[in-house]
Amino acid sequence: MAVIKPVDYGAFFDTVSPAIETHPANYTEEVKSAFLQAIYDRGNLSSPAINDSEFLLWLRVRLRPLLVDLSPSLVTPLLDIGKNRSCNSSQEIITLLDTLHLTLTNNTKREIFKITLLFLQGPTPLKCYTGRSLYIYLKDTFLSFGFPDLSTFKSLLPATRESELLSTINAAELNQLLNQPNMIDNNSDICVLFNNYNSSGET
């Protein structure tokens, strides 16, 4: 990779990535990780010079075979690319990883959940949220990688918007939310949730 110029990465991976997908046994995790690290270091996929359409080509065609059996240490730089791109592009990364979840270790899945949560928490909390049901938005964001427990869910709500955001969740969705595995970890949090939920006018 040291002798390949970044400007030639597209053409290089247009050849290599399909070969990896066709003959995955010929490429070890170490080799795929080295390819990914080179892309992270020199591919400049966060650059505005690469538009969303080109980025999605990178993601779905060139990167996809390299993300099978993704190492936990390579999750953060991948999701960091999404931070500097459109909301659609950042969610496409999670969506693609979700299609590969059967190849991922539990440690990798936990890392994906953790970095996704950090993305939602700031510096602009819920910056990609567009006003629909907050519960459905979070389900669609995390996909198969988990769901925040109640205290973490509450931490995603800016104090001045708690009632507003909770009012987007209907009663059936609230029931689903509270029945998520290991959801209720602190009884005081559920009191805060219901106090704000009631103030939204829901019954």
Side-chain angles (χ1 to χ4, degrees), residues 137-172:
Y137 167 73
L138 293 176
K139 288 282 287 181
D140 289 347
T141 298
F142 285 103
L143 297 172
S144 66
F145 298 110
F147 194 87
D149 61 31
L150 191 55
S151 61
T152 306
F153 172 81
K154 183 176 173 291
S155 76
L156 293 173
L157 310 178
T160 57
R161 298 184 64 198
E162 281 189 358
S163 293
E164 170 204 340
L165 292 169
L166 289 173
S167 71
T168 67
I169 304 173
N170 65 38

Side-chain angles (χ1 to χ4, degrees), residues 9-200:
Y9 275 14
F12 176 77
F13 285 102
D14 280 344
T15 299
V16 172
S17 295
I20 294 174
E21 195 149 44
T22 303
H23 303 288
N26 292 346
Y27 298 84
T28 65
E29 182 180 333
E30 289 74 17
V31 168
K32 291 187 295 182
S33 294
F35 283 148
L36 266 179
Q37 193 62 58
I39 293 169
Y40 293 160
D41 292 343
R42 303 173 66 209
N44 207 22
L45 295 187
S46 297
S47 169
I50 297 178
N51 63 35
D52 278 357
S53 295
E54 187 177 356
F55 175 72
L56 292 180
L57 170 66
W58 265 99
L59 188 64
R60 295 168 180 170
V61 179
R62 298 165 181 164
L63 287 180
R64 179 186 171 88
L66 305 178
L67 301 178
V68 173
D69 302 317
L70 181 67
S71 163
S73 65
L74 295 175
V75 169
T76 297
L78 175 65
L79 296 187
D80 278 348
I81 293 171
K83 289 181 183 178
N84 300 311
R85 302 204 61 85
S86 70
C87 289
N88 180 60
S89 292
S90 60
Q91 186 57 45
E92 282 284 346
I93 298 174
I94 304 296
T95 301
L96 176 60
L97 291 172
D98 186 61
T99 68
L100 302 172
H101 77 277
L102 292 177
T103 77
L104 306 176
T105 67
N106 287 335
N107 284 340
T108 296
K109 293 174 184 176
R110 281 192 288 269
E111 193 69 13
I112 292 168
F113 176 86
K114 182 180 82 173
I115 302 304
T116 303
L117 185 62
L118 289 173
F119 174 75
L120 291 172
Q121 288 173 328
T124 305
L126 301 176
K127 76 169 189 174
C128 293
Y129 172 68
T130 57
R132 59 197 176 109
S133 164
L134 180 63
Y135 171 67
I136 298 300
Y137 167 73
L138 293 176
K139 288 282 287 181
D140 289 347
T141 298
F142 285 103
L143 297 172
S144 66
F145 298 110
F147 194 87
D149 61 31
L150 191 55
S151 61
T152 306
F153 172 81
K154 183 176 173 291
S155 76
L156 293 173
L157 310 178
T160 57
R161 298 184 64 198
E162 281 189 358
S163 293
E164 170 204 340
L165 292 169
L166 289 173
S167 71
T168 67
I169 304 173
N170 65 38
E173 292 165 351
L174 181 64
N175 182 57
Q176 293 175 36
L177 184 152
L178 294 176
N179 280 289
Q180 292 283 338
N182 305 312
M183 184 65 182
I184 301 173
D185 59 339
N186 186 322
N187 287 336
S188 64
D189 286 327
I190 198 167
C191 292
V192 171
L193 184 147
F194 276 119
N195 285 340
N196 282 279
Y197 191 72
N198 287 339
S199 70
S200 74

